[in-house]
Amino acid sequence: VQLQASGGGPVQAGGSLRLSCAASGRAFNRYFIGWLRQTPGEEREFVAGIKESGDGIDYLESVKGRFTISRDNAENTVWLQMNNLKPEDTGVYFCAAQEREYYGAQWYYEKRSPHTYQYWGQGTLVTVSS
């Protein structure tokens, strides 16, 4: 599957952005999709994720109540609605996909690790100014 992230840009604190992740290639509905972000010198950090059928949504604690992830498998797209943005949300946001045979006891940790994702989009930069 090929992923294309878009929708980033500069925004003032308190503002909103909507990121999109468009997929092509293999059946999109076979993949768990995550949004991860990265700042210079840091490893990519899990922000939000959604299972193949649209359930199993999870968020980084600091974005709960502000960010909403959703998907439409018919449109091969996942969105990340980001409201009340803060300067600490600044970073390059990547959408990524992984194909799972099952969700085990370690899933909470696995989805948060960038090393479990098999496919990556190119990233879109979000810059939040104070």
Side-chain angles (χ1 to χ4, degrees):
V1 64
Q2 293 79 45
L3 303 173
Q4 178 82 24
S6 62
V11 63
Q12 289 192 329
S16 298
L17 285 174
R18 190 190 197 202
L19 305 185
S20 298
C21 177
S24 60
R26 293 183 64 189
F28 181 65
N29 60 3
R30 296 175 63 164
Y31 298 96
F32 176 90
I33 302 296
W35 283 97
L36 297 90
R37 67 188 179 194
Q38 189 170 28
T39 54
E42 300 292 329
E43 191 176 60
R44 292 178 186 182
E45 173 185 51
F46 174 84
V47 175
I50 187 168
K51 286 187 176 179
E52 300 86 341
S53 58
D55 61 353
I57 290 174
D58 195 11
Y59 298 99
L60 176 69
E61 190 64 32
S62 64
V63 309
K64 285 182 179 179
R66 301 188 295 121
F67 290 13
T68 302
I69 188 171
S70 60
R71 71 188 291 164
D72 186 331
N73 289 337
E75 294 191 17
N76 286 355
T77 304
V78 171
W79 297 274
L80 184 67
Q81 177 67 42
M82 306 188 296
N83 298 329
N84 190 21
L85 282 159
K86 302 177 180 182
E88 52 263 41
D89 295 318
T90 294
V92 178
Y93 282 70
F94 298 87
C95 62
Q98 56 178 287
E99 189 171 7
R100 307 285 304 189
E101 292 185 358
Y102 67 95
Y103 292 92
Q106 298 300 311
W107 173 235
Y108 176 88
Y109 304 102
E110 290 172 352
K111 61 187 165 185
R112 283 164 168 76
S113 170
H115 306 290
T116 61
Y117 292 85
Q118 296 137 350
Y119 307 97
W120 291 85
Q122 85 289 0
T124 184
L125 176 63
V126 173
T127 304
V128 185
S129 59
S130 58

